[in-house]
Amino acid sequence: PRPPRNDQHPYLGLTEAAVLNGQEVLRACLTLSSEGFRPDIVIAHPGWGESLFIKEIFPRAPLLSYCEFFYHSRGLDIGFDPQAQVNLDVSLRARMRSAHLLLALESCDRGISPTQWQRSVHPPAYQSKISVVFDGIDTDRIKPNPIAQFRLPSGRVVTRQDQVVTYAARNLEPYRGFPSFARSIGRILDRAPDATIVIVGGESVSYGSPPEGGGTWREAMEREVGPFDPNRVLFLPRLPYEAYLSLLQVSSAHVYLTYPFVLSWSFMEAMACGCALVASRTGPVEEVVTDGHTARLVDFFDCKALADAVVATLGDPNESDRWRERARQLVVNQYDMKECLKRQVHILNEMI
């Protein structure tokens, strides 16, 4: 079928918004320049277009671009869920979401990506200018605490002595596997009668789309699998950071699922806290952990396997403790903030 006319394409607004953002930054930089400011280096996240025109006003300043993700019309997040419809308009929208990212890659002097997988999704012609350095985890602060406590809304306090299954995301949505986890909950509860499941996250959408028929993804999953037992499945809004860390520290099994997309900081924080991880066998996760050594990995859509892995983790605390230690040590060795910061500063000094 012939694509609709340009004025009917909602994705054209993505490029326009990026240009408008870039113009706002340009105006601010013009003001700085008129006051005599000359930067030694400019660091920018190009995701919303802010860095588009930096080189027009500060052509001599080296520009470092944070290369977090590059959208594709197929092969990554788009089309990953076989139940999600991918029509021509969806593909065109995905292509246009990276138009300004391509311009940013062309204009920057160097780029930085947090993981090898994220670097690999950028166009091969530009990957040579992208260095891989993770943002860094403060492992002195984010660490195991055997005496940690977490107070539930009922007033009950849980500790490492309790069976607590945790799941955390910015928002409860498909990109972070909430539907898959929701479909596994009934089986987990049946096979682990002492377990309490604590789910943390907002109920809007960070990535992707709302469910068909409206409402939130939590409501959609309750329509599909039935209401969750409020005594054993607790939904909490986004927590203060220290409370969030305490929850990870008391976790008996932490579930992390993701599309082939940006790896969540929460995944690395859970590792640093010494969580026993059950995670999706997807590219961003497989770069960091090894199945059977630092985590249990399952197919993203296999709800039975997910439930079985959680129950197995709860049922073998000695083995889980070994995985906890390995996961924590991996973060300390490879993703600690002090070492990552040294590498980041080295790149800045090289560019300057």
Side-chain angles (χ1 to χ4, degrees), residues 83-116:
Q83 294 184 345
Q85 290 187 345
V86 180
N87 54 32
L88 179 60
D89 193 61
V90 170
S91 298
L92 296 178
R93 182 180 176 86
R95 290 279 290 170
M96 291 307 298
R97 290 190 73 173
S98 282
H100 63 281
L101 298 178
L102 187 59
L103 288 172
L105 275 173
E106 188 277 329
S107 65
C108 74
D109 295 281
R110 288 183 67 172
I112 188 169
S113 280
T115 66
Q116 292 285 353

mmCIF file of all heavy atoms in Angstrom, residues 83-116:
data_model
loop_
_atom_site.group_PDB
_atom_site.id
_atom_site.type_symbol
_atom_site.label_atom_id
_atom_site.label_comp_id
_atom_site.label_asym_id
_atom_site.label_seq_id
_atom_site.Cartn_x
_atom_site.Cartn_y
_atom_site.Cartn_z
ATOM 1 N N GLN A 83 3.812 -10.808 19.379
ATOM 2 C CA GLN A 83 2.413 -10.395 19.457
ATOM 3 C C GLN A 83 2.216 -8.921 19.101
ATOM 4 O O GLN A 83 1.083 -8.488 18.901
ATOM 5 C CB GLN A 83 1.881 -10.662 20.868
ATOM 6 C CG GLN A 83 1.800 -12.132 21.228
ATOM 7 C CD GLN A 83 1.180 -12.357 22.593
ATOM 8 O OE1 GLN A 83 1.056 -11.433 23.389
ATOM 9 N NE2 GLN A 83 0.764 -13.584 22.858
ATOM 10 N N ALA A 84 3.306 -8.169 19.047
ATOM 11 C CA ALA A 84 3.200 -6.741 18.726
ATOM 12 C C ALA A 84 3.160 -6.559 17.214
ATOM 13 O O ALA A 84 3.982 -7.124 16.484
ATOM 14 C CB ALA A 84 4.375 -5.974 19.325
ATOM 15 N N GLN A 85 2.213 -5.794 16.745
ATOM 16 C CA GLN A 85 2.078 -5.559 15.313
ATOM 17 C C GLN A 85 3.151 -4.584 14.831
ATOM 18 O O GLN A 85 3.353 -3.528 15.427
ATOM 19 C CB GLN A 85 0.699 -4.989 14.991
ATOM 20 C CG GLN A 85 -0.430 -5.996 15.180
ATOM 21 C CD GLN A 85 -1.751 -5.451 14.680
ATOM 22 O OE1 GLN A 85 -1.899 -4.261 14.446
ATOM 23 N NE2 GLN A 85 -2.716 -6.335 14.503
ATOM 24 N N VAL A 86 3.854 -4.976 13.781
ATOM 25 C CA VAL A 86 4.858 -4.105 13.165
ATOM 26 C C VAL A 86 4.416 -3.842 11.734
ATOM 27 O O VAL A 86 4.608 -4.676 10.855
ATOM 28 C CB VAL A 86 6.260 -4.738 13.201
ATOM 29 C CG1 VAL A 86 7.272 -3.804 12.544
ATOM 30 C CG2 VAL A 86 6.673 -5.053 14.623
ATOM 31 N N ASN A 87 3.788 -2.704 11.526
ATOM 32 C CA ASN A 87 3.366 -2.349 10.178
ATOM 33 C C ASN A 87 4.357 -1.342 9.579
ATOM 34 O O ASN A 87 5.367 -1.005 10.185
ATOM 35 C CB ASN A 87 1.940 -1.787 10.184
ATOM 36 C CG ASN A 87 1.793 -0.626 11.163
ATOM 37 O OD1 ASN A 87 2.739 0.138 11.393
ATOM 38 N ND2 ASN A 87 0.611 -0.479 11.751
ATOM 39 N N LEU A 88 4.060 -0.893 8.392
ATOM 40 C CA LEU A 88 4.963 0.014 7.699
ATOM 41 C C LEU A 88 5.189 1.293 8.496
ATOM 42 O O LEU A 88 6.313 1.790 8.605
ATOM 43 C CB LEU A 88 4.403 0.349 6.315
ATOM 44 C CG LEU A 88 5.240 1.319 5.462
ATOM 45 C CD1 LEU A 88 6.626 0.739 5.205
ATOM 46 C CD2 LEU A 88 4.522 1.625 4.156
ATOM 47 N N ASP A 89 4.136 1.804 9.112
ATOM 48 C CA ASP A 89 4.273 3.056 9.852
ATOM 49 C C ASP A 89 5.191 2.886 11.063
ATOM 50 O O ASP A 89 5.984 3.779 11.378
ATOM 51 C CB ASP A 89 2.898 3.555 10.298
ATOM 52 C CG ASP A 89 2.939 4.990 10.784
ATOM 53 O OD1 ASP A 89 3.306 5.864 9.982
ATOM 54 O OD2 ASP A 89 2.635 5.220 11.962
ATOM 55 N N VAL A 90 5.095 1.746 11.737
ATOM 56 C CA VAL A 90 5.978 1.479 12.875
ATOM 57 C C VAL A 90 7.435 1.452 12.415
ATOM 58 O O VAL A 90 8.323 2.027 13.066
ATOM 59 C CB VAL A 90 5.597 0.153 13.547
ATOM 60 C CG1 VAL A 90 6.652 -0.267 14.582
ATOM 61 C CG2 VAL A 90 4.234 0.262 14.217
ATOM 62 N N SER A 91 7.699 0.812 11.281
ATOM 63 C CA SER A 91 9.071 0.737 10.765
ATOM 64 C C SER A 91 9.596 2.118 10.385
ATOM 65 O O SER A 91 10.745 2.466 10.691
ATOM 66 C CB SER A 91 9.123 -0.198 9.552
ATOM 67 O OG SER A 91 8.748 -1.517 9.920
ATOM 68 N N LEU A 92 8.757 2.905 9.723
ATOM 69 C CA LEU A 92 9.196 4.241 9.321
ATOM 70 C C LEU A 92 9.454 5.126 10.536
ATOM 71 O O LEU A 92 10.410 5.907 10.572
ATOM 72 C CB LEU A 92 8.144 4.884 8.415
ATOM 73 C CG LEU A 92 7.893 4.188 7.079
ATOM 74 C CD1 LEU A 92 6.787 4.906 6.311
ATOM 75 C CD2 LEU A 92 9.154 4.118 6.246
ATOM 76 N N ARG A 93 8.619 4.993 11.541
ATOM 77 C CA ARG A 93 8.807 5.779 12.760
ATOM 78 C C ARG A 93 10.136 5.426 13.425
ATOM 79 O O ARG A 93 10.873 6.311 13.876
ATOM 80 C CB ARG A 93 7.640 5.524 13.725
ATOM 81 C CG ARG A 93 7.713 6.324 15.013
ATOM 82 C CD ARG A 93 6.530 6.006 15.910
ATOM 83 N NE ARG A 93 6.623 6.691 17.188
ATOM 84 C CZ ARG A 93 6.195 7.927 17.418
ATOM 85 N NH1 ARG A 93 5.621 8.614 16.440
ATOM 86 N NH2 ARG A 93 6.336 8.478 18.608
ATOM 87 N N ALA A 94 10.444 4.125 13.479
ATOM 88 C CA ALA A 94 11.710 3.712 14.079
ATOM 89 C C ALA A 94 12.896 4.269 13.313
ATOM 90 O O ALA A 94 13.891 4.709 13.905
ATOM 91 C CB ALA A 94 11.778 2.185 14.137
ATOM 92 N N ARG A 95 12.792 4.247 11.992
ATOM 93 C CA ARG A 95 13.880 4.807 11.177
ATOM 94 C C ARG A 95 14.080 6.288 11.475
ATOM 95 O O ARG A 95 15.207 6.755 11.639
ATOM 96 C CB ARG A 95 13.563 4.612 9.695
ATOM 97 C CG ARG A 95 13.639 3.187 9.216
ATOM 98 C CD ARG A 95 15.063 2.768 8.936
ATOM 99 N NE ARG A 95 15.598 3.451 7.750
ATOM 100 C CZ ARG A 95 16.870 3.419 7.385
ATOM 101 N NH1 ARG A 95 17.749 2.760 8.125
ATOM 102 N NH2 ARG A 95 17.287 4.035 6.303
ATOM 103 N N MET A 96 12.986 7.020 11.561
ATOM 104 C CA MET A 96 13.091 8.461 11.778
ATOM 105 C C MET A 96 13.570 8.800 13.184
ATOM 106 O O MET A 96 14.130 9.876 13.412
ATOM 107 C CB MET A 96 11.739 9.133 11.512
ATOM 108 C CG MET A 96 11.331 9.120 10.048
ATOM 109 S SD MET A 96 12.602 9.812 8.949
ATOM 110 C CE MET A 96 12.703 11.497 9.556
ATOM 111 N N ARG A 97 13.400 7.891 14.131
ATOM 112 C CA ARG A 97 13.859 8.160 15.493
ATOM 113 C C ARG A 97 15.379 8.247 15.572
ATOM 114 O O ARG A 97 15.926 8.754 16.556
ATOM 115 C CB ARG A 97 13.360 7.077 16.455
ATOM 116 C CG ARG A 97 11.873 7.121 16.705
ATOM 117 C CD ARG A 97 11.464 6.200 17.823
ATOM 118 N NE ARG A 97 11.853 6.721 19.129
ATOM 119 C CZ ARG A 97 11.495 6.163 20.276
ATOM 120 N NH1 ARG A 97 10.770 5.063 20.276
ATOM 121 N NH2 ARG A 97 11.876 6.689 21.419
ATOM 122 N N SER A 98 16.061 7.731 14.558
ATOM 123 C CA SER A 98 17.526 7.788 14.565
ATOM 124 C C SER A 98 18.084 8.790 13.573
ATOM 125 O O SER A 98 19.305 8.874 13.405
ATOM 126 C CB SER A 98 18.115 6.395 14.285
ATOM 127 O OG SER A 98 18.058 5.588 15.441
ATOM 128 N N ALA A 99 17.228 9.564 12.924
ATOM 129 C CA ALA A 99 17.732 10.535 11.951
ATOM 130 C C ALA A 99 18.673 11.539 12.613
ATOM 131 O O ALA A 99 19.788 11.799 12.138
ATOM 132 C CB ALA A 99 16.567 11.254 11.273
ATOM 133 N N HIS A 100 18.247 12.110 13.730
ATOM 134 C CA HIS A 100 19.101 13.099 14.395
ATOM 135 C C HIS A 100 20.272 12.423 15.114
ATOM 136 O O HIS A 100 21.325 13.046 15.304
ATOM 137 C CB HIS A 100 18.284 13.947 15.377
ATOM 138 C CG HIS A 100 17.676 13.184 16.503
ATOM 139 N ND1 HIS A 100 16.523 12.444 16.370
ATOM 140 C CD2 HIS A 100 18.063 13.036 17.793
ATOM 141 C CE1 HIS A 100 16.224 11.881 17.526
ATOM 142 N NE2 HIS A 100 17.146 12.224 18.407
ATOM 143 N N LEU A 101 20.118 11.140 15.478
ATOM 144 C CA LEU A 101 21.239 10.422 16.083
ATOM 145 C C LEU A 101 22.356 10.217 15.070
ATOM 146 O O LEU A 101 23.547 10.273 15.406
ATOM 147 C CB LEU A 101 20.776 9.071 16.620
ATOM 148 C CG LEU A 101 19.720 9.095 17.728
ATOM 149 C CD1 LEU A 101 19.333 7.673 18.125
ATOM 150 C CD2 LEU A 101 20.226 9.864 18.937
ATOM 151 N N LEU A 102 21.991 9.987 13.809
ATOM 152 C CA LEU A 102 22.989 9.836 12.756
ATOM 153 C C LEU A 102 23.735 11.150 12.529
ATOM 154 O O LEU A 102 24.963 11.171 12.368
ATOM 155 C CB LEU A 102 22.317 9.370 11.462
ATOM 156 C CG LEU A 102 23.253 8.999 10.302
ATOM 157 C CD1 LEU A 102 24.197 7.887 10.702
ATOM 158 C CD2 LEU A 102 22.432 8.584 9.085
ATOM 159 N N LEU A 103 23.004 12.266 12.530
ATOM 160 C CA LEU A 103 23.664 13.568 12.403
ATOM 161 C C LEU A 103 24.612 13.816 13.577
ATOM 162 O O LEU A 103 25.702 14.371 13.408
ATOM 163 C CB LEU A 103 22.611 14.673 12.340
ATOM 164 C CG LEU A 103 21.799 14.769 11.044
ATOM 165 C CD1 LEU A 103 20.669 15.779 11.205
ATOM 166 C CD2 LEU A 103 22.704 15.164 9.880
ATOM 167 N N ALA A 104 24.195 13.394 14.769
ATOM 168 C CA ALA A 104 25.048 13.573 15.942
ATOM 169 C C ALA A 104 26.314 12.732 15.832
ATOM 170 O O ALA A 104 27.409 13.184 16.207
ATOM 171 C CB ALA A 104 24.272 13.207 17.201
ATOM 172 N N LEU A 105 26.198 11.513 15.311
ATOM 173 C CA LEU A 105 27.374 10.668 15.126
ATOM 174 C C LEU A 105 28.345 11.297 14.136
ATOM 175 O O LEU A 105 29.566 11.250 14.314
ATOM 176 C CB LEU A 105 26.944 9.290 14.618
ATOM 177 C CG LEU A 105 26.519 8.259 15.654
ATOM 178 C CD1 LEU A 105 25.957 7.024 14.970
ATOM 179 C CD2 LEU A 105 27.683 7.871 16.557
ATOM 180 N N GLU A 106 27.800 11.886 13.093
ATOM 181 C CA GLU A 106 28.661 12.500 12.071
ATOM 182 C C GLU A 106 29.406 13.712 12.630
ATOM 183 O O GLU A 106 30.571 13.938 12.294
ATOM 184 C CB GLU A 106 27.796 12.894 10.868
ATOM 185 C CG GLU A 106 28.575 13.374 9.656
ATOM 186 C CD GLU A 106 28.957 14.841 9.751
ATOM 187 O OE1 GLU A 106 28.200 15.619 10.381
ATOM 188 O OE2 GLU A 106 30.019 15.209 9.198
ATOM 189 N N SER A 107 28.765 14.476 13.494
ATOM 190 C CA SER A 107 29.361 15.728 13.954
ATOM 191 C C SER A 107 30.239 15.582 15.183
ATOM 192 O O SER A 107 31.108 16.427 15.427
ATOM 193 C CB SER A 107 28.265 16.755 14.251
ATOM 194 O OG SER A 107 27.458 16.333 15.332
ATOM 195 N N CYS A 108 30.064 14.512 15.981
ATOM 196 C CA CYS A 108 30.861 14.393 17.201
ATOM 197 C C CYS A 108 32.285 13.941 16.869
ATOM 198 O O CYS A 108 32.537 13.313 15.840
ATOM 199 C CB CYS A 108 30.201 13.426 18.184
ATOM 200 S SG CYS A 108 30.340 11.680 17.764
ATOM 201 N N ASP A 109 33.194 14.273 17.760
ATOM 202 C CA ASP A 109 34.583 13.840 17.581
ATOM 203 C C ASP A 109 34.793 12.428 18.108
ATOM 204 O O ASP A 109 35.554 11.654 17.533
ATOM 205 C CB ASP A 109 35.519 14.811 18.304
ATOM 206 C CG ASP A 109 35.466 16.205 17.686
ATOM 207 O OD1 ASP A 109 36.102 16.392 16.639
ATOM 208 O OD2 ASP A 109 34.768 17.065 18.241
ATOM 209 N N ARG A 110 34.147 12.122 19.211
ATOM 210 C CA ARG A 110 34.183 10.772 19.751
ATOM 211 C C ARG A 110 32.856 10.467 20.418
ATOM 212 O O ARG A 110 32.097 11.378 20.756
ATOM 213 C CB ARG A 110 35.331 10.606 20.765
ATOM 214 C CG ARG A 110 36.707 10.586 20.126
ATOM 215 C CD ARG A 110 37.809 10.354 21.143
ATOM 216 N NE ARG A 110 37.762 9.013 21.738
ATOM 217 C CZ ARG A 110 38.719 8.533 22.538
ATOM 218 N NH1 ARG A 110 39.778 9.284 22.824
ATOM 219 N NH2 ARG A 110 38.618 7.323 23.044
ATOM 220 N N GLY A 111 32.607 9.177 20.603
ATOM 221 C CA GLY A 111 31.406 8.759 21.310
ATOM 222 C C GLY A 111 31.774 7.828 22.443
ATOM 223 O O GLY A 111 32.886 7.298 22.504
ATOM 224 N N ILE A 112 30.823 7.634 23.338
ATOM 225 C CA ILE A 112 31.020 6.703 24.438
ATOM 226 C C ILE A 112 29.717 5.927 24.642
ATOM 227 O O ILE A 112 28.631 6.510 24.630
ATOM 228 C CB ILE A 112 31.451 7.448 25.724
ATOM 229 C CG1 ILE A 112 31.847 6.476 26.823
ATOM 230 C CG2 ILE A 112 30.375 8.393 26.212
ATOM 231 C CD1 ILE A 112 32.530 7.152 27.998
ATOM 232 N N SER A 113 29.831 4.600 24.750
ATOM 233 C CA SER A 113 28.679 3.738 25.009
ATOM 234 C C SER A 113 28.931 2.963 26.290
ATOM 235 O O SER A 113 30.070 2.572 26.571
ATOM 236 C CB SER A 113 28.455 2.743 23.860
ATOM 237 O OG SER A 113 27.792 3.331 22.772
ATOM 238 N N PRO A 114 27.876 2.699 27.085
ATOM 239 C CA PRO A 114 28.083 1.992 28.345
ATOM 240 C C PRO A 114 28.416 0.517 28.191
ATOM 241 O O PRO A 114 29.049 -0.064 29.064
ATOM 242 C CB PRO A 114 26.767 2.172 29.093
ATOM 243 C CG PRO A 114 25.841 2.885 28.190
ATOM 244 C CD PRO A 114 26.520 3.182 26.911
ATOM 245 N N THR A 115 27.974 -0.107 27.099
ATOM 246 C CA THR A 115 28.225 -1.538 26.907
ATOM 247 C C THR A 115 28.604 -1.816 25.462
ATOM 248 O O THR A 115 28.307 -1.036 24.550
ATOM 249 C CB THR A 115 26.977 -2.380 27.259
ATOM 250 O OG1 THR A 115 25.924 -2.082 26.326
ATOM 251 C CG2 THR A 115 26.505 -2.097 28.687
ATOM 252 N N GLN A 116 29.260 -2.967 25.256
ATOM 253 C CA GLN A 116 29.618 -3.368 23.896
ATOM 254 C C GLN A 116 28.361 -3.565 23.058
ATOM 255 O O GLN A 116 28.337 -3.233 21.869
ATOM 256 C CB GLN A 116 30.430 -4.674 23.943
ATOM 257 C CG GLN A 116 31.809 -4.551 24.551
ATOM 258 C CD GLN A 116 32.807 -3.870 23.629
ATOM 259 O OE1 GLN A 116 32.510 -3.584 22.460
ATOM 260 N NE2 GLN A 116 34.001 -3.624 24.139
#
